[in-house]
Amino acid sequence: MPMTYRELLRLANAFSESQTLLAANDLDIFTAIGSAGRTADTVARRCKADPEGMFLLLNALVGLELLTLRKGRYYNTPLGRRHLDRRSPEAISNLLWLLGHHWQDWTDIPKAIRHGRPGWAPLTKTPEFRRRFSLAMHERSFILAEPTVATLRLSPKARRFLDLGGGPGSYAIALAKRYPRLEGVVLDQTVTVTRELIRTHHLQHRLIARQGSLFTADLGSDYDAVLVSNVIHAFNEKENRTLL
């Protein structure tokens, strides 16, 4: 059915909900609340924020069902405790930080359409940004990796694979766990987090993280499979033809 006027307005105003979530993550509200109920004043104090503004934001989060409110105290939902409290092993706080960074990119779309792609901002080349970017990619992928890898059908004779632009190595780790005889190389421009995660999963004897450009690095040879995930959207058609 064609979009209605009400749906059109809902689409135009959709940014308000995502920005509410991103602002709460930036202020670390979900971590400040933790597993206990907190008053608005307590959360404001913990987040070093204005009490009135915090009160309004907390109620907006209740409206989005990201928090609950009982007897003047705000509580994390089960989803919030699992994915929004930074202390949880399944938190996506770095991913939300990255989406907040992308907010400016989206607001600059008219400028980019008029004048062309602006290129990568200098900030994105700093070690701190690249580390958080890698962590964000892992937070995005760690739940998706296992079921995605389960759809792949590798030959029983497969022994080596290349994860091209593999970022933190989430899919390579899932692939190595599913195929115990498989060894792999993860190639990306930043691999510090990749190596940490490989060690965390005790796969350093089967997975190698290699730093280098996807276009100029020596990719090696004799691979039985090549994995390319969440990569080609970052390049234009000519670059992707060269890559693939």
Side-chain angles (χ1 to χ4, degrees):
M1 294 179 61
M3 180 179 288
T4 66
Y5 179 73
R6 184 184 296 274
E7 291 169 337
L8 177 62
L9 293 184
R10 174 74 178 82
L11 176 62
N13 195 52
F15 70 89
S16 60
E17 295 184 0
S18 62
Q19 186 62 11
T20 298
L21 171 59
L22 297 179
N25 180 72
D26 188 54
L27 291 165
D28 219 10
I29 286 175
F30 304 105
T31 306
I33 292 175
S35 58
R38 310 286 182 187
T39 65
D41 285 342
T42 298
V43 178
R45 187 166 56 253
R46 288 187 165 208
C47 297
K48 299 179 180 179
D50 174 68
E52 181 181 2
M54 180 59 71
F55 174 76
L56 295 173
L57 181 55
L58 290 173
N59 285 329
L61 293 167
V62 172
L64 292 175
E65 299 183 352
L66 294 171
L67 296 176
T68 59
L69 174 62
R70 299 193 301 274
K71 297 181 179 180
R73 292 179 177 270
Y74 297 87
Y75 295 82
N76 277 317
T77 64
L79 180 73
R81 288 194 296 272
R82 181 180 181 186
H83 294 304
L84 301 177
D85 185 335
R86 184 166 37 84
R87 292 165 297 199
S88 168
E90 296 185 33
I92 59 169
S93 52
N94 288 292
L95 176 57
L96 294 179
W97 162 83
L98 180 63
L99 294 175
H101 172 79
H102 287 334
W103 183 269
Q104 186 60 45
D105 299 333
W106 282 95
T107 59
D108 284 344
I109 283 181
K111 180 179 178 181
I113 297 299
R114 290 189 180 102
H115 304 291
R117 297 173 64 181
W120 299 105
L123 173 66
T124 64
K125 299 178 181 180
T126 63
E128 175 60 21
F129 183 94
R130 289 189 171 183
R131 177 175 178 78
R132 292 202 70 177
F133 180 88
S134 295
L135 290 170
M137 291 299 96
H138 179 61
E139 291 172 359
R140 178 185 181 276
S141 303
F142 72 92
I143 289 180
L144 303 175
E146 185 175 338
T148 300
V149 164
T151 66
L152 304 180
R153 296 292 181 267
L154 297 187
S155 166
K157 297 181 180 180
R159 291 295 179 267
R160 296 186 73 234
F161 74 94
L162 170 66
D163 189 354
L164 191 60
S170 308
Y171 289 94
I173 290 169
L175 199 59
K177 287 184 175 181
R178 186 170 181 83
Y179 294 91
R181 296 184 179 181
L182 204 58
E183 297 182 355
V185 175
V186 182
L187 176 68
D188 212 316
Q189 61 180 349
T190 301
V191 293
T192 302
V193 171
T194 317
R195 288 168 177 159
E196 292 174 3
L197 291 172
I198 288 173
R199 288 194 297 270
T200 297
H201 290 273
H202 308 291
L203 290 169
Q204 59 268 32
H205 60 296
R206 292 172 50 210
L207 294 179
I208 298 173
R210 183 179 299 163
Q211 184 173 5
S213 166
L214 276 60
F215 297 97
T216 60
D218 180 4
L219 302 182
S221 59
D222 298 326
Y223 296 112
D224 299 299
V226 177
L227 178 63
V228 182
S229 173
N230 200 31
V231 170
I232 62 176
H233 69 283
F235 306 113
N236 60 35
E237 181 179 355
K238 181 179 179 181
E239 290 168 330
N240 281 318
R241 288 184 180 276
T242 301
L243 181 65
L244 300 176

